[in-house]
Amino acid sequence: MLFCASQVFSQTSEIARRHNFASSYFGLDAQVFPFTQQGFVLNDANEVNIYNRNGFVIPSINIGATHFWGYADFYITIGTTPISFRKDSIENSYQYGVITGLRVYPLAPQKYPIRPFLGYKFTPFRFQQVNTEGEVYNNTTVRSALEAGLGYQSASWYLYLSGNMILQPEEESWLSRTVVQPIQQPTYFFSLGANYRLETTRGAYSPSVRILDTLLRQQNAMGLFFGIGPSSAFPTANSSSIIESLPFLDDRAMPDLFPDISAGYHFSRQEWVVAAAFRPMRQTRTAYGFQQQVNRNSFALESYKFLFDYHGFAPFIGAGVMWDNMRLSETDNDVNITETVSSKLAPGLVFGWDIRPGKRADPWLLRTNLRYSPYASLEKDNATLSLQYLEFNFIQFVLYPQRLSYYRNL
């Protein structure tokens, strides 16, 4: 009797720990930049003029999940249009696309609902300026920031307030195609967020789930899946074509947000996946009447292995091949000067993790994919346009239709 009771208690405890391991949330955020630096622009006499830049706030959208029972927070923050406190004499903006970050809470959440945290985040900051002739200049620099603040977590809400320090805020700004000026971007800013926690694991521990989990550990069945989610890409290498011929262009320009669409089969007994993925990527560089656009449709065939399952956190790693169809277009003052199409096959790495409330029997789950292709590039005039991106698909919705049909037919 005591042995049976001990088994029931152990199973109940394991279910509770898997249930509480991760908690997704969705919310709003404000990044406040009260302290700004001076800006520089060329006047009609081609002389450098100084102007004052005012503070601003960037309203944003949060998507994330607390992990390890509330001790860690992995998230993305999607920026919208900055709102300036006052209008500057020269039109300019400083904003980010997608922040990727981690916060660590050293104190136990059960004892301290309001807790201090330390964090690290990185994002591509984009600086844009319009000169007196109406010409637009853009520059993107991936920057890191350290964070410290206070967070509040309850069953339904997750709130935080923090201060942030950007590391190495200096950069070079091209005031024309030939004049470059060192500038200082903001170093300090504040973050304020309010998020609603989502319950996505209800029903994940029912008897039918446990029965199917046992079956899928013994044989490969019901492994077909489809996935879709928003993804971003971080350039990781410089382009010799830009540096040597067009240095005033934004070398590290971020591709637009794009969908990551996948389909594959999960061999549940071996914890092995074979999948195909498609990602359409668009990268645009614009400055002083010159525009360069790279359209890249990337198809990947990949295989990866789940390493372990730690209370619902299941990391994986693998490799694959990527076939890229690429189109390069360039215009100079509205005159089309380049139009080329090419294809390339290159190896790639894939890694990430699943959040699995129901062990191996979830009808749907949330997956994080990261991809890197170290040899992806495009040749132009005996130089290279780098396409070496770190792709980051933070949250992909993955559906197992055969498992879903199994549960519906019970």
Side-chain angles (χ1 to χ4, degrees):
M1 180 73 71
L2 289 175
F3 176 74
C4 293
S6 176
Q7 278 193 317
V8 172
F9 177 79
S10 177
Q11 291 176 354
T12 304
S13 177
E14 166 63 13
I15 288 174
R17 286 179 67 80
R18 293 186 71 89
H19 176 85
N20 295 325
F21 177 84
S23 176
S24 301
Y25 63 81
F26 175 85
L28 300 177
D29 176 279
Q31 308 280 344
V32 184
F33 292 77
F35 315 113
T36 56
Q37 306 294 328
Q38 293 177 322
F40 302 88
V41 67
L42 291 182
N43 60 21
D44 295 338
N46 210 36
E47 298 170 335
V48 177
N49 279 1
I50 299 175
Y51 69 93
N52 292 321
R53 296 161 61 193
N54 293 294
F56 56 93
V57 59
I58 304 179
S60 307
I61 297 171
N62 284 333
I63 302 174
T66 55
H67 291 67
F68 301 99
W69 306 281
Y71 284 97
D73 173 21
F74 296 93
Y75 64 92
I76 60 172
T77 299
I78 304 171
T80 62
T81 303
I83 301 174
S84 180
F85 298 155
R86 288 187 299 175
K87 186 176 180 179
D88 295 342
S89 58
I90 297 296
E91 183 180 344
N92 72 96
S93 65
Y94 189 60
Q95 63 185 107
Y96 54 82
V98 178
I99 291 176
T100 302
L102 163 68
R103 299 185 180 101
V104 176
Y105 289 86
L107 301 180
Q110 296 84 357
K111 296 181 179 180
Y112 307 96
I114 299 178
R115 298 176 294 152
F117 64 81
L118 297 175
Y120 169 82
K121 61 182 71 173
F122 67 93
T123 183
F125 275 102
R126 301 184 180 110
F127 175 60
Q128 183 180 88
Q129 181 171 285
V130 181
N131 66 13
T132 56
E133 297 180 0
E135 296 175 320
V136 179
Y137 167 75
N138 295 279
N139 186 56
T140 301
T141 306
V142 177
R143 301 190 189 280
S144 299
L146 302 179
E147 182 181 28
L150 293 174
Y152 166 78
Q153 297 183 37
S154 69
S156 300
W157 293 97
Y158 172 34
L159 313 176
Y160 61 82
L161 173 66
S162 69
N164 303 263
M165 182 180 71
I166 297 176
L167 307 178
Q168 297 180 333
E170 305 84 6
E171 67 179 76
E172 289 188 337
S173 175
W174 287 82
L175 307 185
S176 71
R177 292 194 182 190
T178 58
V179 179
V180 63
Q181 171 70 44
I183 63 172
Q184 180 90 3
Q185 298 293 6
T187 302
Y188 302 100
F189 65 97
F190 301 97
S191 300
L192 174 64
N195 308 282
Y196 183 74
R197 300 167 76 97
L198 305 175
E199 170 55 62
T200 60
T201 59
R202 187 175 290 113
Y205 315 104
S206 64
S208 59
V209 172
R210 293 196 290 270
I211 292 172
L212 182 57
D213 175 67
T214 301
L215 173 66
L216 296 182
R217 290 173 182 272
Q218 298 171 350
Q219 65 184 57
N220 295 316
M222 305 183 197
L224 180 67
F225 69 83
F226 301 95
I228 187 169
S231 190
S232 58
F234 300 88
T236 61
N238 294 327
S239 298
S240 60
S241 175
I242 299 296
I243 294 174
E244 296 171 5
S245 303
L246 302 164
F248 58 90
L249 283 185
D250 188 359
D251 184 25
R252 295 293 185 99
M254 286 274 296
D256 299 331
L257 284 177
F258 55 91
D260 184 337
I261 305 168
S262 65
Y265 196 87
H266 180 187
F267 296 89
S268 56
R269 183 182 176 187
Q270 294 82 14
E271 285 281 67
W272 198 277
V273 168
V274 176
F278 170 67
R279 295 99 57 229
M281 292 174 253
R282 306 290 180 264
Q283 183 182 38
T284 302
R285 298 178 174 97
T286 302
Y288 303 116
F290 195 100
Q291 178 172 291
Q292 179 188 87
Q293 185 168 12
V294 179
N295 293 340
R296 175 188 178 192
N297 292 323
S298 184
F299 300 85
L301 180 62
E302 52 201 17
S303 180
Y304 49 87
K305 177 76 168 65
F306 288 98
L307 304 178
F308 53 83
D309 183 335
Y310 182 72
H311 300 291
F313 176 75
F316 60 83
I317 188 170
V321 292
M322 298 184 187
W323 183 79
D324 294 333
N325 179 261
M326 300 165 288
R327 177 184 294 273
L328 171 65
S329 303
E330 292 180 330
T331 60
D332 191 353
N333 291 314
D334 298 324
V335 177
N336 190 5
I337 61 172
T338 303
E339 192 74 36
T340 63
V341 177
S342 61
S343 299
K344 186 172 184 178
L345 191 68
L349 302 174
V350 59
F351 53 100
W353 62 86
D354 283 3
I355 297 299
R356 299 179 177 179
K359 299 186 178 180
R360 304 187 192 187
D362 295 293
W364 66 270
L365 52 79
L366 299 180
R367 175 171 295 161
T368 296
N369 296 296
L370 295 96
R371 292 186 182 87
Y372 179 62
S373 181
Y375 303 107
S377 63
L378 181 62
E379 301 303 316
K380 176 182 180 291
D381 299 333
N382 298 318
T384 300
L385 275 174
S386 174
L387 301 178
Q388 295 179 31
Y389 304 152
L390 176 62
E391 299 179 38
F392 192 7
N393 177 210
F394 184 74
I395 294 182
Q396 185 181 57
F397 177 80
V398 178
L399 176 68
Y400 289 83
Q402 295 165 310
R403 299 179 189 177
L404 186 63
S405 177
Y406 167 83
Y407 290 124
R408 286 179 173 176
N409 292 332
L410 290 178

